[in-house]
Amino acid sequence: MLNIQKFVFNPYQENTYIVSDETNECVIIDCGALFDNEQLALTEYIEENRLTPVQLLCTHGHFDHCVGIDMVYQQYGLKPLIHSKDAQLMEQLADQAMYFLGIEYDREVPPIGKLIDEQDVINFGNHRFTILHTPGHTPGSILFYCEEEHCVFSGDTLFQMSIGRTDFPGGSYQDMMNSLRLITTQLPEETVVWSGHGPKTTIGEEQKHNPFLRYM
């Protein structure tokens, strides 16, 4: 059984997830820990629960979702896994920090561990994530889906009653609509959606109430 711990980090109220199972192996998804107290909260949770981080996963390359990857690399030796089409975004974290927050970001971006796509499977403990490529918010946006546990980590593609913005560089409303059609046709209604911002929801609830999905 998966244990999902959500942290809300940085000025953009981004959701960072630590996902573990009975083996105590865990993956870190979208590490947005910007401030010292946020990084401490994450490392203390891992230590207190005697977890072993084995993968650092990124749903996309925006600053608010990747600002803590240097800490994870330094602390646990994990290199980020990201889609090839968002690799350049990750390499531009300093530029993004200035653009989005008006702050200087002088941390060294760790080397990318692997460029992943829909052919890859993420294994940890007794569980596995498959990958859905869902461009729209960014060209390389991806979802991590655990079929066994009926849950998906959607990054900034799908939120409760909303979707990710498509007006940033590299965004595409048409791609987003195509991605949402993919999600709603491939994922069962009972799938729990853990989004990059805001509360969790389900595919079924969003099909019923999300104005962007109701008429697909």
Side-chain angles (χ1 to χ4, degrees):
M1 181 175 180
L2 288 182
N3 181 45
I4 300 171
Q5 178 67 36
K6 182 178 82 171
F7 298 85
V8 181
F9 287 151
N10 70 57
Y12 280 88
Q13 298 291 284
E14 178 268 350
N15 293 336
T16 293
Y17 297 101
I18 296 181
V19 186
S20 60
D21 70 7
E22 60 277 2
T23 69
N24 282 0
E25 286 192 351
C26 71
V27 297
I28 302 170
I29 302 176
D30 285 356
C31 188
L34 174 60
F35 302 112
D36 290 345
N37 64 312
E38 295 175 342
Q39 297 183 0
L40 182 62
L42 189 145
T43 55
E44 283 186 341
Y45 174 83
I46 291 172
E47 181 178 350
E48 289 170 0
N49 290 276
R50 299 182 180 180
L51 302 179
T52 301
V54 295
Q55 301 280 10
L56 172 57
L57 309 178
C58 302
T59 61
H60 64 293
H62 278 158
F63 176 81
D64 54 329
H65 291 256
C66 299
V67 67
I69 60 175
D70 70 305
M71 180 273 294
V72 175
Y73 179 59
Q74 295 296 329
Q75 189 82 17
Y76 305 109
L78 298 179
K79 300 176 182 178
L81 278 59
I82 194 167
H83 194 278
S84 61
K85 291 187 176 180
D86 268 22
Q88 186 176 8
L89 265 180
M90 180 172 284
E91 294 166 356
Q92 297 172 341
L93 290 187
D95 293 337
Q96 291 191 56
M98 184 58 66
Y99 178 80
F100 287 114
L101 292 174
I103 64 174
E104 292 187 3
Y105 179 78
D106 57 2
R107 302 175 191 171
E108 185 174 350
V109 179
I112 293 174
K114 185 178 180 181
L115 299 174
I116 53 177
D117 58 29
E118 291 181 312
Q119 307 305 314
D120 291 293
V121 174
I122 307 299
N123 293 296
F124 67 100
N126 294 325
H127 289 81
R128 54 182 277 169
F129 289 157
T130 54
I131 296 169
L132 295 176
H133 181 207
T134 54
H137 182 64
T138 66
S141 290
I142 53 178
L143 275 60
F144 298 104
Y145 174 52
C146 183
E147 181 178 9
E148 177 186 2
E149 301 284 349
H150 308 292
C151 66
V152 67
F153 297 87
S154 65
D156 283 2
T157 296
L158 179 62
F159 304 129
Q160 183 186 60
M161 295 292 289
S162 189
I163 62 173
R165 292 175 59 171
T166 60
D167 57 338
F168 293 132
S172 167
Y173 183 78
Q174 185 59 56
D175 285 348
M176 177 65 83
M177 292 299 102
N178 291 337
S179 293
L180 294 172
R181 290 187 187 93
L182 172 72
I183 293 169
T184 55
T185 56
Q186 291 201 10
L187 300 184
E189 292 184 359
E190 66 269 21
T191 303
V192 178
V193 180
W194 297 87
S195 302
H197 301 269
K200 66 181 179 180
T201 182
T202 67
I203 294 295
E205 285 299 305
E206 296 313 298
Q207 286 177 315
K208 293 177 183 176
H209 304 296
N210 191 317
F212 296 95
L213 302 184
R214 288 179 64 186
Y215 303 106
M216 284 190 163

